[in-house]
Amino acid sequence: MGGFRRGGEGSPQNLAAIAAKSLLLGPSYILTLALRRLVRIHPDAFARLAAYRESLFLIEFTDAPLAFSLRPSGTSGQVRVLSTAAAKTVRADVRIAGQMVDLLRVFDGTFDADAAFFSRRIRVAGDTSALMALHNALEAADLTLADLIGAPASARGLVNRGLDWTLHHWRSA
């Protein structure tokens, strides 16, 4: 008899997981290109990572079913967008968790990382020295959200204003 077997290779659950994973490939590719571009533009800032260039950072959103893994390996660095379920299986050197708005604001420098940590808005597990190296590299590069997502230079002002508006309204919703 044909059809799907529960949990089998061709099951609806596996097909849904494959479809979801394939939808995340595009954003992963775009963010990886953005990271590599930032490394080329700000090599001194990323040199601050030193021994932590190969560290794997996992950024987990507590209010969205997504996570990011980041390996800032210079011009071969990689960003992967993951489902929450896939993120649980990642063996990261550092895990950073918090609400999306807070984490994005920490990464673009508009929310003080120390204040976010000590107020428990973000949680950190793993190698904190690697996290400090990443924080120092991002701070030295003076990046905006538009830089982090790889927006074209001509559109960065507009993208930053749009993202600021969105994050402000998301937080107050």
Side-chain angles (χ1 to χ4, degrees):
M1 196 171 267
F4 293 112
R5 285 183 279 138
R6 184 173 165 91
E9 190 173 308
S11 72
Q13 293 92 348
N14 281 348
L15 292 176
I18 291 168
K21 188 174 182 178
S22 65
L23 289 174
L24 300 177
L25 290 175
S28 295
Y29 179 73
I30 291 167
L31 292 172
T32 293
L33 291 178
L35 170 65
R36 291 174 183 179
R37 182 181 155 279
L38 290 173
V39 170
R40 285 191 308 275
I41 293 171
H42 302 284
D44 295 341
F46 283 89
R48 293 172 177 250
L49 288 166
Y52 303 107
R53 289 171 47 120
E54 298 301 321
S55 295
L56 184 64
F57 299 86
L58 185 69
I59 299 105
E60 302 174 280
F61 299 124
T62 57
D63 58 344
L66 293 174
F68 293 87
S69 70
L70 166 67
R71 187 175 310 275
S73 308
T75 56
S76 64
Q78 183 178 30
V79 178
R80 288 181 47 217
V81 182
L82 307 164
S83 68
T84 303
K88 292 182 187 323
T89 66
V90 172
R91 296 185 64 158
D93 296 296
V94 181
R95 295 178 97 84
I96 309 156
Q99 291 186 359
M100 184 183 289
V101 171
D102 292 340
L103 289 170
L104 291 174
R105 290 296 187 202
V106 165
F107 276 92
D108 83 348
T110 57
F111 186 18
D112 181 73
D114 293 332
F117 176 76
F118 288 114
S119 66
R120 297 189 175 127
R121 303 269 298 261
I122 62 170
R123 294 182 316 278
V124 175
D127 187 348
T128 54
S129 58
L131 181 59
M132 289 305 302
L134 178 64
H135 176 265
N136 291 340
L138 291 172
E139 194 171 72
D142 194 28
L143 303 173
T144 66
L145 287 176
D147 295 318
L148 293 173
I149 64 171
S154 60
R156 283 196 193 116
L158 180 62
V159 170
N160 279 323
R161 286 190 299 279
L163 289 169
D164 286 342
W165 183 90
T166 301
L167 292 175
H168 174 75
H169 285 83
W170 187 339
R171 167 61 77 200
S172 60

